[in-house]
Amino acid sequence: MWREPRPQPELLTSFGCGTPAEKKIYKYKKVLSNPSRWEVVLKEIRTLVDMALTSPLQDDSINQAPLEIVSKLLSENTNLTTQEHENIIVAIAPLLENNHPPPDLCEFFCKHCRERPRSMVVIEVFTPVVQRILKHNMDFGKCPRLRLFTQEYILALNELNAGMEVVKKFIQSMHGPTGHCPHPRVLPNLVAVCLAAIYSCYEEFINSRDNSPSLKEIRNGCQQPCDRKPTLPLRLLHPSPDLVSQEATLSEARLKSVVVASSEIHVEVEHASTAKPALTASAGNDSEPNLIDCLMVSPACSTMSIELGPQADRTLGCYVEILKLLSDYDDWRPSLASLLQPIPFPKEALAHEKFTKELKYVIQRFAEDPRQEVHSCLLSVRAGKDGWFQLYSPGGVACDDDGELFASMVHILMGSCYKTKKFLLSLAENKLGPCMLLALRGNQTMVEILCLMLEYNIIDNNDTQLQIISTLESTGVGKRMYEQLCDRQRELKELQRKGGPTRLTLPSKSTDADLARLLSSGSFGNLENLSLAFTNVTSACAEHLIKLPSLKQLNLWSTQFGDAGLRLLSEHLTMLQVLNLCETPVTDAGLLALSSMKSLCSLNMNSTKLSADTYEDLKAKLPNLKEVDVRYTEAW
């Protein structure tokens, strides 16, 4: 039998019909659209709620209509007192047990959480509402105000006495008392709220940086807008058309390498002079390096500085703490690791020391988890993208522990299915510097890694192999493991007997002690090219450098090498041809001593305290000097 369709609530004004409940809702809507006294309004709201709850017809229109009416009432009457606000919230609370608040009502709830975080309404009324939101299959993309309300509710809990303990108990209530959470949507919903809250902390920086540096540029430390004068060609003492052309090409190439580097994270940032030893042998591998390999053409600029305001700082602290709490649950950790694997945080957050330091706890929990589905998420999702493994490795933007976390990540990855040539090759290409530095300091995992690289023939370049051998022989554990390796592969001993490397690059963050330990471990009589760029060496290392008889090129860019060390070098390394002192604390007192180094062909004094008089004196006393960089000095 055909039945006439029931009129929709919005059509009741036209037809004057509908179910009794719908007619009552329409009546209340008219009454509440012109409020007179608020005590009467409140009474009408309570009656409306009771009617909706007791109506035999339970559908979305019956349940949502009262909430829509109250939402409109609140938006049109913004001068209500706090007590009136709370009374209205309490009155509609029964309806919120089974219904999501509409968008405008969410805005009102958010405002209440911000202005009255200690109100009992937050605990007694909002808690079940938020719990319901988090337990359901929620699309926050379509309902962003529900996510914002959840975010503001958690911040309100954090404002209570012992706020973080209250937040922790709330998270526990969402997980449940058992070892496995019975609600599969809680974790992704909580993570979505955390990510949105953390993003909001850096929104001001994100919006104000149309040309903000990428992660790679932050890592390389040279993409901040710089006050300095624009880069000019090198000032030549004896100009030559061929040399000028060569410099222009090299300048352009190096500037590009600093900006884009490669698709992989490199711990050892090669801003530096000496070309990085190739991992595979090439035809020109044994030829003498170009004399301007060590002459840097671009001074480093400062990395981006992030300082949050008080409110953003509190928000960040709260939500990073929630991520830490989530990582403590064994059943949630695999999904959490998977959700965070693509690194969903803005680059401004990853450049913020406080954020990465706090988040380190979460990454440590992933690294300590023996399950492959968890610790494999430390690696990037696909080649060319940064993962937590890269960001927390030495030289990465988040590393603050000289590689301690990196070593534990390598240990757990190598202990599972990653003990393969492919993984070792990736380490050799991108992480060889930190691996050698940590091995030099006696880390057993890194010693094992270097031995495996030699054993599996990952490294083909002779100089690099010899540097690894010297690194291994610098410590007791390394020497023992290397001897065991040599018992299996006699050709390694034969390689070592042929003499030391001709080129050597110390990893960034290396110290005077690291250099001394390395140079005392083997033969470096053949060493011609040494790069200490971006290490922590000082003038104290000069006593070891003067024992390198064949040294021709020395790169000290951005170190703490000063005048005392420079004077010692000038007395002993008279055959030095290329010297890079860019961004070192040297002054005229030390630079004047260079006048005795008659073999110098290339000298970089960019961004030092060089004076014009000292510059003129050096030009007169160094007849072989063909190229010099004095930018950002008094002599420029």
Side-chain angles (χ1 to χ4, degrees), residues 188-219:
N189 284 339
L190 274 172
V191 172
V193 171
C194 289
L195 296 183
I198 291 171
Y199 184 92
S200 71
C201 296
Y202 299 95
E203 203 159 11
E204 180 181 348
F205 293 92
I206 294 167
N207 293 338
S208 66
R209 294 178 184 275
D210 292 336
N211 297 311
S212 59
S214 67
L215 264 182
K216 195 176 300 175
E217 293 159 354
I218 295 168
R219 178 187 69 252

Side-chain angles (χ1 to χ4, degrees), residues 101 104 188 250 263 295 393 449 573:
D104 289 342
L250 284 168
S263 61
L295 189 62
S393 65
I449 290 293
L573 297 181

Side-chain angles (χ1 to χ4, degrees), residues 131 135 168-183 186 329 331-332:
Q131 287 176 332
K135 289 178 181 179
K168 185 175 181 179
K169 288 179 180 177
F170 174 73
I171 300 296
Q172 288 174 341
S173 73
M174 297 307 303
H175 179 275
T178 64
H180 290 274
C181 178
H183 306 289
V186 166
Y329 289 96
D331 62 320
W332 275 354

